[in-house]
Amino acid sequence: CEKMDILFVIDDSGSMGEEQANLATNFPLFVDVLNGFVSSANLPIDYHLGVTTTSVTKNWSIGGLIPDSQDGPDGALIDNGCAMPRKWLERDDADVATTFSCVAQAVGGANEEMPLEAIRMAVSDRVDDGQNAGFFREDALLAVVVLTDENDCSRSDNNFTVGLTDDVCDDLAPVDSYIAALDQVTGDRGRWATAFIAGLGPGDCSSAFGNADEATRLLDFAAAAGDNAVTSSICDGDLASALGDALSTFEEACRSFPPIE
């Protein structure tokens, strides 16, 4: 493994401003460690670093009478109005940490967070339509970091109806379907890894940044994905440890990367 494509899926709902600022503060340390990681050939790792959000476009009707909707980038890489050389950052770009910190801070997104659906769309739909073309490479480890203070509410359907007493998050796509999607896109379970920074439970947790719901679906995903998945608490207050855990998992997965035949 000489390449790593790192996708951050960041919760951009209104409650995430302080957590995003914490991520931005600690990200230079993440970049320093990433820049120090070398391949088995003692060469610096060739990385792509991109950002999307947990917001996914959905339209629904409440009881068949009241229309409702939410919008999002649907897995497309964002630049957040920052000075990006392209839709992602690379090792040789100027001031990677500062530019990422700019891109990663965006609130006002959808209230029904769908990180797993955003991941699926990022590596499939947005590649097929060209929006994320060039970011994902066949011979690179796909590494995904999710930062959220809510449970996953991913649905694969659209233009659906919910009952008057029901919720959008009552009828969700199976967690295993998202693991299968990553297996299919990369061709092998060993060619992708995930890190979830979320509420680990049991129950809600709280920190100086506010409360976080237990992310049961993300925990189920991590448990089913195996050794290439790690979970850290968003309520720890300092995200430096969580980012360190993510990089350690990615480095180990990269060293065990199955050869491309």
mmCIF file of all heavy atoms in Angstrom, residues 27-73:
data_model
loop_
_atom_site.group_PDB
_atom_site.id
_atom_site.type_symbol
_atom_site.label_atom_id
_atom_site.label_comp_id
_atom_site.label_asym_id
_atom_site.label_seq_id
_atom_site.Cartn_x
_atom_site.Cartn_y
_atom_site.Cartn_z
ATOM 1 N N PHE A 27 -6.731 19.069 13.732
ATOM 2 C CA PHE A 27 -6.376 18.458 12.461
ATOM 3 C C PHE A 27 -4.908 18.617 12.083
ATOM 4 O O PHE A 27 -4.348 17.712 11.445
ATOM 5 C CB PHE A 27 -7.264 18.983 11.337
ATOM 6 C CG PHE A 27 -7.172 18.148 10.104
ATOM 7 C CD1 PHE A 27 -7.775 16.897 10.054
ATOM 8 C CD2 PHE A 27 -6.459 18.567 8.995
ATOM 9 C CE1 PHE A 27 -7.656 16.093 8.935
ATOM 10 C CE2 PHE A 27 -6.344 17.784 7.868
ATOM 11 C CZ PHE A 27 -6.952 16.538 7.842
ATOM 12 N N PRO A 28 -4.230 19.722 12.422
ATOM 13 C CA PRO A 28 -2.797 19.790 12.075
ATOM 14 C C PRO A 28 -1.986 18.619 12.607
ATOM 15 O O PRO A 28 -1.051 18.158 11.947
ATOM 16 C CB PRO A 28 -2.364 21.116 12.714
ATOM 17 C CG PRO A 28 -3.600 21.962 12.669
ATOM 18 C CD PRO A 28 -4.724 20.999 12.962
ATOM 19 N N LEU A 29 -2.352 18.102 13.796
ATOM 20 C CA LEU A 29 -1.648 16.940 14.335
ATOM 21 C C LEU A 29 -1.901 15.707 13.467
ATOM 22 O O LEU A 29 -1.002 14.893 13.236
ATOM 23 C CB LEU A 29 -2.100 16.673 15.770
ATOM 24 C CG LEU A 29 -1.771 17.756 16.797
ATOM 25 C CD1 LEU A 29 -2.393 17.417 18.148
ATOM 26 C CD2 LEU A 29 -0.263 17.931 16.925
ATOM 27 N N PHE A 30 -3.129 15.572 12.987
ATOM 28 C CA PHE A 30 -3.488 14.475 12.093
ATOM 29 C C PHE A 30 -2.634 14.534 10.829
ATOM 30 O O PHE A 30 -2.097 13.518 10.373
ATOM 31 C CB PHE A 30 -4.979 14.578 11.753
ATOM 32 C CG PHE A 30 -5.510 13.490 10.852
ATOM 33 C CD1 PHE A 30 -6.066 12.332 11.387
ATOM 34 C CD2 PHE A 30 -5.497 13.625 9.476
ATOM 35 C CE1 PHE A 30 -6.582 11.333 10.573
ATOM 36 C CE2 PHE A 30 -6.004 12.640 8.647
ATOM 37 C CZ PHE A 30 -6.553 11.486 9.204
ATOM 38 N N VAL A 31 -2.503 15.716 10.258
ATOM 39 C CA VAL A 31 -1.711 15.882 9.031
ATOM 40 C C VAL A 31 -0.245 15.587 9.290
ATOM 41 O O VAL A 31 0.437 14.956 8.465
ATOM 42 C CB VAL A 31 -1.899 17.301 8.460
ATOM 43 C CG1 VAL A 31 -0.939 17.544 7.292
ATOM 44 C CG2 VAL A 31 -3.331 17.500 7.999
ATOM 45 N N ASP A 32 0.265 16.022 10.446
ATOM 46 C CA ASP A 32 1.672 15.761 10.768
ATOM 47 C C ASP A 32 1.955 14.259 10.809
ATOM 48 O O ASP A 32 2.967 13.781 10.270
ATOM 49 C CB ASP A 32 2.031 16.382 12.121
ATOM 50 C CG ASP A 32 2.167 17.899 12.041
ATOM 51 O OD1 ASP A 32 2.267 18.424 10.915
ATOM 52 O OD2 ASP A 32 2.157 18.548 13.105
ATOM 53 N N VAL A 33 1.046 13.507 11.467
ATOM 54 C CA VAL A 33 1.240 12.061 11.549
ATOM 55 C C VAL A 33 1.098 11.426 10.166
ATOM 56 O O VAL A 33 1.866 10.544 9.780
ATOM 57 C CB VAL A 33 0.241 11.435 12.541
ATOM 58 C CG1 VAL A 33 0.364 9.911 12.538
ATOM 59 C CG2 VAL A 33 0.476 11.972 13.941
ATOM 60 N N LEU A 34 0.093 11.889 9.413
ATOM 61 C CA LEU A 34 -0.125 11.357 8.070
ATOM 62 C C LEU A 34 1.087 11.609 7.185
ATOM 63 O O LEU A 34 1.519 10.728 6.429
ATOM 64 C CB LEU A 34 -1.374 12.001 7.463
ATOM 65 C CG LEU A 34 -1.844 11.496 6.104
ATOM 66 C CD1 LEU A 34 -2.209 10.017 6.169
ATOM 67 C CD2 LEU A 34 -3.050 12.312 5.633
ATOM 68 N N ASN A 35 1.659 12.789 7.284
ATOM 69 C CA ASN A 35 2.829 13.116 6.467
ATOM 70 C C ASN A 35 4.050 12.300 6.873
ATOM 71 O O ASN A 35 4.975 12.109 6.079
ATOM 72 C CB ASN A 35 3.151 14.606 6.574
ATOM 73 C CG ASN A 35 2.203 15.465 5.766
ATOM 74 O OD1 ASN A 35 1.565 14.989 4.831
ATOM 75 N ND2 ASN A 35 2.082 16.734 6.124
ATOM 76 N N GLY A 36 4.056 11.800 8.117
ATOM 77 C CA GLY A 36 5.183 11.010 8.589
ATOM 78 C C GLY A 36 5.059 9.530 8.285
ATOM 79 O O GLY A 36 6.018 8.773 8.476
ATOM 80 N N PHE A 37 3.887 9.098 7.805
ATOM 81 C CA PHE A 37 3.657 7.680 7.506
ATOM 82 C C PHE A 37 4.317 7.327 6.185
ATOM 83 O O PHE A 37 4.143 8.010 5.182
ATOM 84 C CB PHE A 37 2.148 7.413 7.449
ATOM 85 C CG PHE A 37 1.787 6.006 7.074
ATOM 86 C CD1 PHE A 37 2.389 4.924 7.695
ATOM 87 C CD2 PHE A 37 0.830 5.749 6.110
ATOM 88 C CE1 PHE A 37 2.056 3.623 7.365
ATOM 89 C CE2 PHE A 37 0.476 4.453 5.766
ATOM 90 C CZ PHE A 37 1.098 3.395 6.398
ATOM 91 N N VAL A 38 5.101 6.250 6.192
ATOM 92 C CA VAL A 38 5.786 5.819 4.970
ATOM 93 C C VAL A 38 5.353 4.405 4.620
ATOM 94 O O VAL A 38 4.927 3.622 5.477
ATOM 95 C CB VAL A 38 7.322 5.867 5.126
ATOM 96 C CG1 VAL A 38 7.790 7.297 5.327
ATOM 97 C CG2 VAL A 38 7.780 4.979 6.285
ATOM 98 N N SER A 39 5.479 4.069 3.345
ATOM 99 C CA SER A 39 5.122 2.743 2.861
ATOM 100 C C SER A 39 6.236 1.755 3.195
ATOM 101 O O SER A 39 7.293 2.122 3.723
ATOM 102 C CB SER A 39 4.894 2.787 1.351
ATOM 103 O OG SER A 39 6.124 3.011 0.686
ATOM 104 N N SER A 40 6.005 0.482 2.857
ATOM 105 C CA SER A 40 7.029 -0.544 3.099
ATOM 106 C C SER A 40 8.291 -0.279 2.295
ATOM 107 O O SER A 40 9.371 -0.762 2.639
ATOM 108 C CB SER A 40 6.474 -1.928 2.759
ATOM 109 O OG SER A 40 6.030 -1.968 1.414
ATOM 110 N N ALA A 41 8.155 0.503 1.232
ATOM 111 C CA ALA A 41 9.319 0.881 0.425
ATOM 112 C C ALA A 41 9.986 2.151 0.962
ATOM 113 O O ALA A 41 10.841 2.738 0.308
ATOM 114 C CB ALA A 41 8.911 1.088 -1.028
ATOM 115 N N ASN A 42 9.550 2.577 2.165
ATOM 116 C CA ASN A 42 10.095 3.766 2.835
ATOM 117 C C ASN A 42 9.837 5.047 2.051
ATOM 118 O O ASN A 42 10.640 5.979 2.059
ATOM 119 C CB ASN A 42 11.598 3.606 3.094
ATOM 120 C CG ASN A 42 12.067 4.477 4.257
ATOM 121 O OD1 ASN A 42 11.335 4.668 5.228
ATOM 122 N ND2 ASN A 42 13.273 5.018 4.145
ATOM 123 N N LEU A 43 8.684 5.077 1.374
ATOM 124 C CA LEU A 43 8.278 6.260 0.630
ATOM 125 C C LEU A 43 7.102 6.929 1.332
ATOM 126 O O LEU A 43 6.266 6.248 1.935
ATOM 127 C CB LEU A 43 7.877 5.878 -0.800
ATOM 128 C CG LEU A 43 8.963 5.279 -1.678
ATOM 129 C CD1 LEU A 43 8.371 4.785 -2.998
ATOM 130 C CD2 LEU A 43 10.075 6.294 -1.919
ATOM 131 N N PRO A 44 7.008 8.252 1.282
ATOM 132 C CA PRO A 44 5.868 8.939 1.895
ATOM 133 C C PRO A 44 4.556 8.461 1.274
ATOM 134 O O PRO A 44 4.478 8.221 0.068
ATOM 135 C CB PRO A 44 6.127 10.416 1.571
ATOM 136 C CG PRO A 44 7.590 10.496 1.301
ATOM 137 C CD PRO A 44 7.959 9.198 0.672
ATOM 138 N N ILE A 45 3.533 8.311 2.095
ATOM 139 C CA ILE A 45 2.249 7.852 1.599
ATOM 140 C C ILE A 45 1.627 8.904 0.685
ATOM 141 O O ILE A 45 1.679 10.105 0.963
ATOM 142 C CB ILE A 45 1.294 7.503 2.763
ATOM 143 C CG1 ILE A 45 0.128 6.636 2.299
ATOM 144 C CG2 ILE A 45 0.788 8.753 3.468
ATOM 145 C CD1 ILE A 45 0.504 5.224 2.040
ATOM 146 N N ASP A 46 1.116 8.474 -0.427
ATOM 147 C CA ASP A 46 0.440 9.340 -1.404
ATOM 148 C C ASP A 46 -1.039 9.390 -1.020
ATOM 149 O O ASP A 46 -1.752 8.407 -1.165
ATOM 150 C CB ASP A 46 0.638 8.746 -2.802
ATOM 151 C CG ASP A 46 -0.157 9.461 -3.878
ATOM 152 O OD1 ASP A 46 -0.801 10.489 -3.589
ATOM 153 O OD2 ASP A 46 -0.171 8.966 -5.023
ATOM 154 N N TYR A 47 -1.498 10.527 -0.509
ATOM 155 C CA TYR A 47 -2.881 10.576 -0.028
ATOM 156 C C TYR A 47 -3.723 11.626 -0.747
ATOM 157 O O TYR A 47 -3.225 12.650 -1.217
ATOM 158 C CB TYR A 47 -2.941 10.800 1.483
ATOM 159 C CG TYR A 47 -2.382 12.122 1.994
ATOM 160 C CD1 TYR A 47 -3.124 13.296 1.942
ATOM 161 C CD2 TYR A 47 -1.119 12.175 2.594
ATOM 162 C CE1 TYR A 47 -2.617 14.495 2.434
ATOM 163 C CE2 TYR A 47 -0.610 13.365 3.096
ATOM 164 C CZ TYR A 47 -1.354 14.521 3.016
ATOM 165 O OH TYR A 47 -0.858 15.705 3.504
ATOM 166 N N HIS A 48 -5.015 11.306 -0.841
ATOM 167 C CA HIS A 48 -6.057 12.245 -1.205
ATOM 168 C C HIS A 48 -6.895 12.487 0.046
ATOM 169 O O HIS A 48 -7.205 11.545 0.781
ATOM 170 C CB HIS A 48 -6.969 11.685 -2.302
ATOM 171 C CG HIS A 48 -6.333 11.627 -3.646
ATOM 172 N ND1 HIS A 48 -6.983 11.130 -4.772
ATOM 173 C CD2 HIS A 48 -5.094 12.002 -4.077
ATOM 174 C CE1 HIS A 48 -6.186 11.214 -5.815
ATOM 175 N NE2 HIS A 48 -5.031 11.729 -5.425
ATOM 176 N N LEU A 49 -7.284 13.733 0.296
ATOM 177 C CA LEU A 49 -8.034 14.084 1.492
ATOM 178 C C LEU A 49 -9.235 14.931 1.078
ATOM 179 O O LEU A 49 -9.078 16.031 0.555
ATOM 180 C CB LEU A 49 -7.128 14.873 2.437
ATOM 181 C CG LEU A 49 -7.684 15.300 3.784
ATOM 182 C CD1 LEU A 49 -8.056 14.093 4.621
ATOM 183 C CD2 LEU A 49 -6.644 16.149 4.516
ATOM 184 N N GLY A 50 -10.433 14.389 1.274
ATOM 185 C CA GLY A 50 -11.641 15.091 0.846
ATOM 186 C C GLY A 50 -12.691 15.138 1.946
ATOM 187 O O GLY A 50 -12.625 14.393 2.924
ATOM 188 N N VAL A 51 -13.677 16.012 1.752
ATOM 189 C CA VAL A 51 -14.734 16.220 2.748
ATOM 190 C C VAL A 51 -16.093 16.194 2.074
ATOM 191 O O VAL A 51 -16.287 16.814 1.014
ATOM 192 C CB VAL A 51 -14.563 17.578 3.478
ATOM 193 C CG1 VAL A 51 -15.712 17.801 4.467
ATOM 194 C CG2 VAL A 51 -13.228 17.645 4.194
ATOM 195 N N THR A 52 -17.035 15.484 2.674
ATOM 196 C CA THR A 52 -18.441 15.628 2.348
ATOM 197 C C THR A 52 -19.194 15.714 3.674
ATOM 198 O O THR A 52 -18.579 15.772 4.737
ATOM 199 C CB THR A 52 -18.960 14.482 1.461
ATOM 200 O OG1 THR A 52 -20.268 14.804 0.987
ATOM 201 C CG2 THR A 52 -19.005 13.164 2.213
ATOM 202 N N THR A 53 -20.508 15.760 3.636
ATOM 203 C CA THR A 53 -21.281 15.914 4.864
ATOM 204 C C THR A 53 -22.274 14.766 5.019
ATOM 205 O O THR A 53 -22.439 13.932 4.124
ATOM 206 C CB THR A 53 -22.057 17.246 4.881
ATOM 207 O OG1 THR A 53 -23.228 17.133 4.067
ATOM 208 C CG2 THR A 53 -21.197 18.394 4.387
ATOM 209 N N THR A 54 -22.944 14.747 6.167
ATOM 210 C CA THR A 54 -23.955 13.725 6.441
ATOM 211 C C THR A 54 -25.308 14.074 5.831
ATOM 212 O O THR A 54 -26.272 13.326 5.995
ATOM 213 C CB THR A 54 -24.138 13.532 7.954
ATOM 214 O OG1 THR A 54 -24.520 14.790 8.545
ATOM 215 C CG2 THR A 54 -22.837 13.054 8.605
ATOM 216 N N SER A 55 -25.403 15.211 5.127
ATOM 217 C CA SER A 55 -26.671 15.650 4.547
ATOM 218 C C SER A 55 -26.924 14.977 3.202
ATOM 219 O O SER A 55 -26.088 15.044 2.295
ATOM 220 C CB SER A 55 -26.680 17.169 4.363
ATOM 221 O OG SER A 55 -26.641 17.830 5.609
ATOM 222 N N VAL A 56 -28.078 14.336 3.090
ATOM 223 C CA VAL A 56 -28.487 13.649 1.864
ATOM 224 C C VAL A 56 -29.874 14.153 1.472
ATOM 225 O O VAL A 56 -30.762 14.284 2.319
ATOM 226 C CB VAL A 56 -28.520 12.121 2.067
ATOM 227 C CG1 VAL A 56 -29.075 11.422 0.836
ATOM 228 C CG2 VAL A 56 -27.120 11.598 2.391
ATOM 229 N N THR A 57 -30.060 14.456 0.200
ATOM 230 C CA THR A 57 -31.327 14.979 -0.297
ATOM 231 C C THR A 57 -32.421 13.915 -0.234
ATOM 232 O O THR A 57 -32.245 12.819 -0.759
ATOM 233 C CB THR A 57 -31.178 15.477 -1.740
ATOM 234 O OG1 THR A 57 -30.161 16.487 -1.775
ATOM 235 C CG2 THR A 57 -32.483 16.058 -2.248
ATOM 236 N N LYS A 58 -33.523 14.239 0.422
ATOM 237 C CA LYS A 58 -34.682 13.357 0.498
ATOM 238 C C LYS A 58 -35.956 14.197 0.431
ATOM 239 O O LYS A 58 -36.007 15.315 0.935
ATOM 240 C CB LYS A 58 -34.685 12.547 1.809
ATOM 241 C CG LYS A 58 -33.517 11.599 1.975
ATOM 242 C CD LYS A 58 -33.559 10.449 0.981
ATOM 243 C CE LYS A 58 -32.358 9.523 1.152
ATOM 244 N NZ LYS A 58 -32.338 8.445 0.138
ATOM 245 N N ASN A 59 -36.978 13.623 -0.185
ATOM 246 C CA ASN A 59 -38.299 14.242 -0.239
ATOM 247 C C ASN A 59 -39.316 13.238 0.287
ATOM 248 O O ASN A 59 -39.271 12.064 -0.071
ATOM 249 C CB ASN A 59 -38.659 14.633 -1.678
ATOM 250 C CG ASN A 59 -37.685 15.636 -2.267
ATOM 251 O OD1 ASN A 59 -37.785 16.829 -2.029
ATOM 252 N ND2 ASN A 59 -36.729 15.142 -3.048
ATOM 253 N N TRP A 60 -40.198 13.706 1.142
ATOM 254 C CA TRP A 60 -41.201 12.800 1.691
ATOM 255 C C TRP A 60 -42.490 13.557 1.997
ATOM 256 O O TRP A 60 -42.539 14.791 1.978
ATOM 257 C CB TRP A 60 -40.668 12.097 2.932
ATOM 258 C CG TRP A 60 -40.391 12.965 4.112
ATOM 259 C CD1 TRP A 60 -41.232 13.288 5.135
ATOM 260 C CD2 TRP A 60 -39.147 13.625 4.422
ATOM 261 N NE1 TRP A 60 -40.611 14.096 6.053
ATOM 262 C CE2 TRP A 60 -39.322 14.316 5.641
ATOM 263 C CE3 TRP A 60 -37.897 13.699 3.788
ATOM 264 C CZ2 TRP A 60 -38.314 15.066 6.234
ATOM 265 C CZ3 TRP A 60 -36.899 14.449 4.387
ATOM 266 C CH2 TRP A 60 -37.105 15.119 5.586
ATOM 267 N N SER A 61 -43.492 12.776 2.273
ATOM 268 C CA SER A 61 -44.805 13.322 2.623
ATOM 269 C C SER A 61 -45.214 12.767 3.983
ATOM 270 O O SER A 61 -45.036 11.576 4.258
ATOM 271 C CB SER A 61 -45.846 12.942 1.567
ATOM 272 O OG SER A 61 -47.148 13.275 2.004
ATOM 273 N N ILE A 62 -45.745 13.622 4.823
ATOM 274 C CA ILE A 62 -46.229 13.200 6.141
ATOM 275 C C ILE A 62 -47.721 12.906 6.026
ATOM 276 O O ILE A 62 -48.528 13.802 5.782
ATOM 277 C CB ILE A 62 -45.981 14.286 7.198
ATOM 278 C CG1 ILE A 62 -44.490 14.620 7.258
ATOM 279 C CG2 ILE A 62 -46.495 13.833 8.564
ATOM 280 C CD1 ILE A 62 -44.164 15.793 8.153
ATOM 281 N N GLY A 63 -48.051 11.623 6.158
ATOM 282 C CA GLY A 63 -49.442 11.210 6.058
ATOM 283 C C GLY A 63 -50.044 11.410 4.689
ATOM 284 O O GLY A 63 -51.275 11.421 4.543
ATOM 285 N N GLY A 64 -49.210 11.569 3.669
ATOM 286 C CA GLY A 64 -49.710 11.804 2.323
ATOM 287 C C GLY A 64 -50.284 13.188 2.122
ATOM 288 O O GLY A 64 -50.847 13.483 1.059
ATOM 289 N N LEU A 65 -50.113 14.072 3.114
ATOM 290 C CA LEU A 65 -50.733 15.395 3.064
ATOM 291 C C LEU A 65 -49.731 16.536 3.143
ATOM 292 O O LEU A 65 -49.890 17.556 2.468
ATOM 293 C CB LEU A 65 -51.740 15.529 4.228
ATOM 294 C CG LEU A 65 -52.892 14.517 4.270
ATOM 295 C CD1 LEU A 65 -53.655 14.669 5.586
ATOM 296 C CD2 LEU A 65 -53.812 14.717 3.076
ATOM 297 N N ILE A 66 -48.713 16.381 3.973
ATOM 298 C CA ILE A 66 -47.781 17.479 4.243
ATOM 299 C C ILE A 66 -46.425 17.160 3.627
ATOM 300 O O ILE A 66 -45.738 16.228 4.060
ATOM 301 C CB ILE A 66 -47.629 17.693 5.755
ATOM 302 C CG1 ILE A 66 -48.994 17.897 6.412
ATOM 303 C CG2 ILE A 66 -46.713 18.886 6.030
ATOM 304 C CD1 ILE A 66 -48.951 17.882 7.931
ATOM 305 N N PRO A 67 -46.002 17.897 2.598
ATOM 306 C CA PRO A 67 -44.696 17.630 1.996
ATOM 307 C C PRO A 67 -43.562 18.146 2.878
ATOM 308 O O PRO A 67 -43.689 19.159 3.559
ATOM 309 C CB PRO A 67 -44.757 18.405 0.677
ATOM 310 C CG PRO A 67 -45.707 19.531 0.950
ATOM 311 C CD PRO A 67 -46.724 18.993 1.912
ATOM 312 N N ASP A 68 -42.458 17.423 2.868
ATOM 313 C CA ASP A 68 -41.266 17.841 3.608
ATOM 314 C C ASP A 68 -40.043 17.368 2.836
ATOM 315 O O ASP A 68 -40.141 16.492 1.966
ATOM 316 C CB ASP A 68 -41.279 17.255 5.018
ATOM 317 C CG ASP A 68 -40.470 18.098 6.000
ATOM 318 O OD1 ASP A 68 -39.697 18.960 5.549
ATOM 319 O OD2 ASP A 68 -40.617 17.880 7.221
ATOM 320 N N SER A 69 -38.891 17.947 3.137
ATOM 321 C CA SER A 69 -37.682 17.581 2.396
ATOM 322 C C SER A 69 -36.445 18.072 3.128
ATOM 323 O O SER A 69 -36.527 18.861 4.071
ATOM 324 C CB SER A 69 -37.712 18.184 0.985
ATOM 325 O OG SER A 69 -37.675 19.601 1.051
ATOM 326 N N GLN A 70 -35.311 17.580 2.677
ATOM 327 C CA GLN A 70 -34.025 18.102 3.106
ATOM 328 C C GLN A 70 -33.063 17.991 1.927
ATOM 329 O O GLN A 70 -33.264 17.177 1.026
ATOM 330 C CB GLN A 70 -33.482 17.349 4.317
ATOM 331 C CG GLN A 70 -33.162 15.888 4.074
ATOM 332 C CD GLN A 70 -32.613 15.205 5.321
ATOM 333 O OE1 GLN A 70 -33.028 15.489 6.446
ATOM 334 N NE2 GLN A 70 -31.659 14.292 5.131
ATOM 335 N N ASP A 71 -32.031 18.836 1.937
ATOM 336 C CA ASP A 71 -31.065 18.862 0.837
ATOM 337 C C ASP A 71 -29.666 18.595 1.365
ATOM 338 O O ASP A 71 -29.370 18.796 2.547
ATOM 339 C CB ASP A 71 -31.092 20.223 0.135
ATOM 340 C CG ASP A 71 -32.436 20.514 -0.505
ATOM 341 O OD1 ASP A 71 -32.984 19.596 -1.136
ATOM 342 O OD2 ASP A 71 -32.934 21.645 -0.362
ATOM 343 N N GLY A 72 -28.796 18.168 0.477
ATOM 344 C CA GLY A 72 -27.408 17.942 0.841
ATOM 345 C C GLY A 72 -26.555 17.691 -0.375
ATOM 346 O O GLY A 72 -27.058 17.575 -1.495
ATOM 347 N N PRO A 73 -25.241 17.573 -0.168
ATOM 348 C CA PRO A 73 -24.338 17.295 -1.298
ATOM 349 C C PRO A 73 -24.411 15.861 -1.786
ATOM 350 O O PRO A 73 -23.820 15.533 -2.815
ATOM 351 C CB PRO A 73 -22.955 17.618 -0.720
ATOM 352 C CG PRO A 73 -23.107 17.424 0.752
ATOM 353 C CD PRO A 73 -24.509 17.842 1.079
#
